[in-house]
C-alpha cells in the first residue's frame, strides 16, 4: 500500500518481478486493502498463482511519525509485512512506504543483530566501473569509529550478496571510509578511529583506505562507509547534480535546430545513456543490521524500481549475508572490548 | 609560481584578466622567479605595462606541510604575495599554490577578523537558477553552531560582492544550512543550534531554513552553509558525478554511428553546454574570515580559471564585504554572549 502511488505501482512491480525471477519460483504475500489490490491485479491482468492477498486493517500514512506508527501501527499493511518475516512465513519484506515507520517497526519486531544499535540504509549508484554502495545514507546522524566499521562490514556483505556480478571470481569488494583527503592524518576523530579499528580487527575485508567524494563516481572502491549525515548529503548532492546535468543537456538539445536534429539522430545512444543512469536500475535500499531482510523501495518508485527492490530482497534472502555480518560484528566487538580492557588495566 | 603548472598558466591568466578588467585599470605584482616569469611574458607576447615582476627567494612546494611552509616560507613567492596585501601594496592576493600553506601564511600575516578562528574556503557552482555558493569546503573539519552561522555571514557577504549579478535589484541572497531534511527536528545538535542562533541574532540575512544536498543543484538558495567535512564531500561528490555523467555522454555519442553523426550536428549546443558547466567559469575560492582578500585558484587551473580567480579577487577588493562580515560577526557574538550570561545567571 506504500509509496506515492500505492498498489498501482506495487502490483505491476510484483508482476514484473515474478517474470524476472521466474527460475527462482518466488511467492508473494500482498498486504493491504484487498479490494484496492485486486483492482490492480485485474487492471494489469496479472496472472499470479504465487500471489496471495492478505487483508490488513489499516495503512500507515507516508507522513506519520515513527513513534506514532509504532504505537498505532499493529495490524497495518506495513506491520503485517514485517510480521510475516518474523513468523518465518516470508523470507523478506519490501515496502515503498514510510521509511521511519518501516525502520521503527522492523527494529521492534525483528530486533537488531547482537552489538548493533540502529539499522543503516544503503544506497547503490552507477559509476564508471559498475556500481558503488554507500552507507549510511540517512538513519544515523552521528556515528563513532565503531559504528563506521559496522557500516563497512554490513556494506561489504550486502555488496557481495547483491552486486557480486560486478566482481571478478574470488574478488572481494574494496572498502573505503569517506573523508576529506586520502592521507592518514586527514579528517575528524571518528574516521581516523574507524580506520585504526578496521585494521586491528581481523575481519577479512579488502580495505582500501580513505576515499573522497569524487571517488564515488569514479568507482575507486565498491563500498563507501560514512556517517548518515554525510552519506545523505552526498547521495542527494549526486542526485541533484545528475538532474541538473540532465536538464542542461535537454535544454541544449532542444534550444536550436542543430541540437534537435542531432538529438534525433543520436536518440539510440542517448536512450542507452538514460537507461544506464536510470535510478530505478539500482533502486532499493535495504535496512541493514536487522535480524531479517527488509528492503525499502523509493517512495516515488515506478514498477521497474519496485521490481528491482524485490530482486535485491531475493538476492539477500538467498545469501548468507546475515551470518557474515554477525560473524564480523562479533570480531569487531571483541577487538573493541580487548582494547577497552587494556586501557582500563593500564 | 604555484599550481600544477606555475607561470605557464599564471602569466597568460594575468594577461587575460588584464583585458577583461581593463576598465578597472588593474595592476599586477608577479612574485617569483623573474627568469621563469619573464620567459612566459615573452612567450605569450604579453604587453602589460601594469605588471611588475617581484623576485622571490624560493617557492613553497605543492606538497609542503602548512607548519613547515609557515616556518621556512618567509621570502617565498607565496609569502611575498600575502605580505604585499598586509603592507597595503596590493589589495588582494591570488595563488594557485599549496592551499594549506596559503591558509597558514595568510592567517599568520593578515590575522583573522575579530571573533573568527580559522579561514573558511568557499566554492561556487552552476545551478539551474545561476550560481550557488557553498562553504566551508575543506578548512574546518568540525564546526559548532556559532561557526556555522559565521559561515552563513561570510558566504552571504561574499555572494553579494562576487555573484550579485545573479540577484534582482535590492534582493538579498537566500541562505540555508545543509541538513538531512527540511523539518525543524532533523539533523545533529550543531545544525539545530545554528538555525536557532541565526534566527535570534539580528543579522539582516535572508534566511531560508534547512536545505538538502539536492537543493544545491536546484539553486533553492544562493548560499549554503555547512561544516568543512560535509561541504568538502558534497563538492567533490558533485564534481565526481558531473565527470561521470560527462564521460557516459561522451561514451554514448562515440559508440555508434548515429551517436557520432548526432553529436556532430548538435556540436554547437553541446559546446555551449560544456561552456556552461566548465568549472573554470566559477573557479576561485577565497579564504574568508581574514583581514584581507586572498583567493585560492584551483591547482589545476587553466589561464581562464586563473583569470576568473583574479576577477573574484578584484570584486572582493572593490566591495565592503570585510566590513559587513565584521559587523554581522560582532552582532552574532553579542547574541552568544548575552545568552551565555543569561544561562549563568539562571
Amino acid at each position: 500500500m506504500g509509496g506515492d502511488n500505492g498498489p498501482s505501482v506495487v502490483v505491476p512491480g510484483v508482476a514484473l518481478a515474478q517474470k524476472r525471477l521466474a527460475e527462482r519460483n518466488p511467492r508473494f504475500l500482498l498486504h493491504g486493502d484487498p479490494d484496492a489490490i485486486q483492482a490492480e491485479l485485474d487492471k494489469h491482468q496479472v496472472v499470479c498463482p504465487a500471489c496471495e492477498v492478505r487483508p490488513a486493517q489499516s495503512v500507515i500514512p507516508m507522513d506519520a511519525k515513527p513513534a506514532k506508527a509504532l504505537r498505532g501501527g499493529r495490524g497495518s499493511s506495513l506491520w503485517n509485512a514485517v510480521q510475516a518475516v518474523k513468523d518465518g512465513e516470508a523470507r523478506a519484506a519490501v515496502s515503498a512506504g514510510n521509511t521511519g515507520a518501516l525502520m521503527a517497526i522492523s527494529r521492534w519486531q525483528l530486533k537488531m543483530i547482537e552489538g548493533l544499535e540502529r539499522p543503516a540504509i544503503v544506497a547503490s549508484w552507477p559509476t564508471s566501473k559498475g556500481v558503488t554502495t554507500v552507507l549510511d545514507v540517512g538513519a544515523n546522524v552521528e556515528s563513532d569509529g565503531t559504528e563506521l566499521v559496522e557500516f563497512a562490514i554490513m556494506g561489504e556483505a550486502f555488496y557481495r550478496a547483491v552486486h557480486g556480478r560486478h566482481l571478478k571470481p574470488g574478488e572481494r569488494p574494496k572498502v573505503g571510509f569517506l573523508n576529506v583527503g586520502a592521507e592518514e592524518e586527514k579528517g575528524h576523530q571518528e574516521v581516523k578511529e574507524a580506520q585504526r579499528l578496521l585494521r586491528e580487527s581481523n575481519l577479512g575485508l579488502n580495505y582500501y583506505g580513505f576515499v573522497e567524494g569524487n571517488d564515488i563516481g569514479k568507482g575507486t572502491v565498491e563500498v563507501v562507509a560514512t556517517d548518515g549525515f554525510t552519506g545523505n548529503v552526498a547521495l542527494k548532492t549526486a542526485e541533484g547534480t545528475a538532474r541538473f546535468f540532465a536538464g542542461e543537456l535537454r535544454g541544449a538539445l532542444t534550444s536550436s535546430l542543430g541540437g534537435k536534429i542531432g538529438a534525433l539522430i543520436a536518440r539510440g545512444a542517448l536512450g542507452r545513456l538514460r537507461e544506464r543512469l536510470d535510478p530505478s536500475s539500482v533502486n532499493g535500499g535495504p535496512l541493514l543490521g536487522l535480524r531479517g531482510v527488509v528492503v525499502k523501495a523509493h517512495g516515488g518508485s515506478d514498477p521497474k524500481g519496485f521490481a528491482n527492490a524485490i530482486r535485491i530482497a531475493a538476492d539477500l534472502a538467498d545469501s548468507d549475508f546475515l551470518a557474515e555480518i554477525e560473524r564480523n560484528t562479533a570480531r569487531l566487538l571483541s577487538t573493541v572490548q580487548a582494547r577497552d580492557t587494556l586501557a582500563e588495566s593500564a
Side-chain angles (χ1 to χ4, degrees), chain A:
Chain A
M1 302 302 290
D4 301 340
N5 305 297
S8 72
V9 157
V10 172
V11 169
V14 166
L16 189 58
Q18 192 202 5
K19 271 183 223 148
R20 284 190 185 165
L21 301 174
E23 61 188 23
R24 288 152 85 173
N25 277 320
R27 295 192 304 120
F28 300 95
L29 304 178
L30 307 178
H31 301 271
D33 174 352
D35 295 342
I37 296 172
Q38 194 57 53
E40 291 295 331
L41 285 167
D42 294 346
K43 185 174 155 197
H44 296 278
Q45 299 180 304
V46 177
V47 183
C48 182
C51 289
E52 190 184 322
V53 178
R54 292 284 178 93
Q57 293 161 16
S58 60
V59 171
I60 294 175
M62 287 299 276
D63 58 354
K65 299 273 174 214
K68 204 177 158 198
L70 187 57
R71 276 197 311 275
R74 199 172 292 262
S76 66
S77 51
L78 200 157
W79 183 284
N80 292 355
V82 177
Q83 172 97 43
V85 175
K86 187 186 171 190
D87 295 345
E89 263 203 301
R91 292 176 57 203
V94 180
S95 169
N98 182 324
T99 307
L102 183 63
M103 194 170 306
I105 289 173
S106 301
R107 197 176 160 197
W108 173 261
Q109 293 208 86
L110 302 177
K111 310 296 179 217
M112 298 295 295
I113 288 173
E114 179 80 35
L116 300 179
E117 284 297 322
R118 292 192 60 199
I121 300 182
V122 161
S124 297
W125 71 74
T127 71
S128 317
K129 292 186 189 160
V131 167
T132 286
T133 279
V134 181
L135 78 165
D136 178 43
V137 297
N140 302 278
V141 160
E142 275 166 301
S143 311
D144 63 17
T146 307
E147 284 166 316
L148 290 174
V149 179
E150 290 166 0
F151 296 158
I153 290 171
M154 295 193 280
E156 204 255 2
F158 164 77
Y159 197 95
R160 284 187 290 136
V162 169
H163 299 303
R165 67 188 181 284
H166 292 289
L167 299 167
K168 297 190 198 90
E171 188 188 6
R172 287 191 77 145
K174 292 182 288 300
V175 175
F177 290 112
L178 197 53
N179 200 349
V180 296
E183 304 84 357
E184 295 274 326
E185 76 276 9
K186 286 284 169 99
H188 46 52
Q189 215 41 56
E190 290 80 1
V191 74
K192 288 187 222 174
E193 164 73 1
Q195 174 157 280
R196 250 192 321 265
L197 255 180
L198 192 147
R199 284 184 174 151
E200 282 173 22
S201 310
N202 183 24
L203 303 177
L205 299 190
N206 183 5
Y207 180 62
Y208 176 88
F210 291 149
V211 294
E212 301 184 66
N214 51 334
D215 286 307
I216 304 176
K218 267 193 219 166
T220 305
V221 297
E222 283 78 33
V223 179
V224 173
T226 188
D227 65 277
F229 191 92
T230 310
N232 183 286
V233 167
L235 175 67
K236 288 182 180 161
T237 300
E239 283 175 359
T241 306
R243 203 166 297 133
F244 166 66
F245 202 111
E248 293 290 314
L249 177 61
R250 204 176 307 116
L253 293 180
T254 51
S255 65
S256 68
L257 189 62
K260 280 181 196 165
I261 296 174
L264 194 67
I265 295 173
R267 69 185 181 282
L270 292 172
R272 282 190 297 279
L273 174 66
R274 198 176 307 119
E275 187 80 4
R276 166 126 173 78
L277 300 178
D278 181 4
S280 80
S281 71
V282 282
N283 195 357
L287 306 187
L288 293 181
L290 296 163
R291 295 181 194 270
V293 177
V294 177
V295 175
K296 169 71 175 73
H298 200 288
S301 292
D302 60 8
K304 258 170 61 189
F306 199 83
N308 197 59
I310 294 174
R311 202 267 299 165
I312 289 174
D315 285 349
L316 289 174
D318 284 345
S319 76
D320 63 342
F321 93 114
L322 284 182
E324 287 179 19
I325 294 176
E326 277 181 283
R327 206 155 43 230
N328 264 335
T329 306
R331 278 185 198 143
L332 169 66
L333 293 181
S334 75
T335 306
V336 173
Q337 276 160 9
R339 213 175 46 172
D340 289 354
T341 313
L342 207 66
E344 276 166 30
S345 67

